[in-house]
């Protein structure tokens, strides 16, 4: 299997709005290249976009464990946990992402949204 060609194909599927097909192509690539952060990130995003949130969380936790300074992985992990209604868990990762990249409006918006949910007693 040509891993680079499959990754490019998966990227095309993802960008065309078909994250499920992208994930199917990426899964064997990540098995062959488990240390490839770019593949793992795209796989996590494909899972997130296709509402396979448990799988997204697994991939994102792996990214964060391997590189704790990956602000984007923290952000998407926080968003994933938010979608899973695990707001307190989400808050930690969203705070980390916003602290590392405070100029990113998406990060601060997500953080405020979850802070409001947690502050309002909704978990």
């Amino acid at each position: 299997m040509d891993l680079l060609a499959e990754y490019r194909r998966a990227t095309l599927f993802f960008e065309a709005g078909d994250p499920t097909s992208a994930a199917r192509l990426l899964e064997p690539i990540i098995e062959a290249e488990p240390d490839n952060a770019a593949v793992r990130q795209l796989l996590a995003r494909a899972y997130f976009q296709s509402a396979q949130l448990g799988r997204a969380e697994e991939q994102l936790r792996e990214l964060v464990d391997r590189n704790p300074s990956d602000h984007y992985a923290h952000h998407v992990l926080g968003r994933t946990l938010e979608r899973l209604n695990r707001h307190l868990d989400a808050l930690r990762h969203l705070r980390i992402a916003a602290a590392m990249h405070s100029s990113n409006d998406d990060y601060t918006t997500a953080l405020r949204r979850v802070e409001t949910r947690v502050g309002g007693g909704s978990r």
Side-chain angles (χ1 to χ4, degrees):
M1 167 180 14
D2 182 348
L3 298 179
L4 181 57
E6 288 298 290
Y7 175 77
R8 288 180 177 153
R9 232 174 108 214
T11 301
L12 289 174
F13 276 106
F14 183 83
E15 291 173 352
D18 187 356
T20 303
S21 293
R24 274 196 297 271
L25 292 169
L26 293 165
E27 288 164 350
I29 299 171
I30 206 65
E31 286 180 29
E33 297 280 339
D35 295 330
N36 190 319
V39 173
R40 191 172 298 279
Q41 183 187 91
L42 186 57
L43 179 58
R45 291 174 62 208
Y47 285 150
F48 179 84
Q49 291 294 324
S50 61
Q52 297 180 64
L53 301 177
R55 289 178 168 186
E57 179 183 1
E58 180 181 316
Q59 296 303 319
L60 291 160
R61 286 199 185 276
E62 185 69 29
L63 285 168
V64 166
D65 287 348
R66 289 173 186 235
N67 182 5
S69 66
D70 185 342
H71 59 86
Y72 185 73
H74 279 285
H75 174 70
V76 181
L77 178 55
R79 293 287 321 281
T80 300
L81 295 167
E82 176 188 10
R83 286 181 67 188
L84 287 166
N85 291 317
R86 292 169 44 201
H87 297 104
L88 286 176
D89 294 334
L91 196 55
R92 174 179 181 261
H93 294 284
L94 294 173
R95 282 180 175 155
I96 291 169
M100 285 195 276
H101 207 288
S102 61
S103 63
N104 187 310
D105 291 337
D106 290 339
Y107 289 14
T108 55
T109 298
L111 175 58
R112 285 188 199 116
R113 184 177 55 245
V114 173
E115 284 176 333
T116 300
R117 295 285 308 255
V118 170
S122 179
R123 297 178 193 198

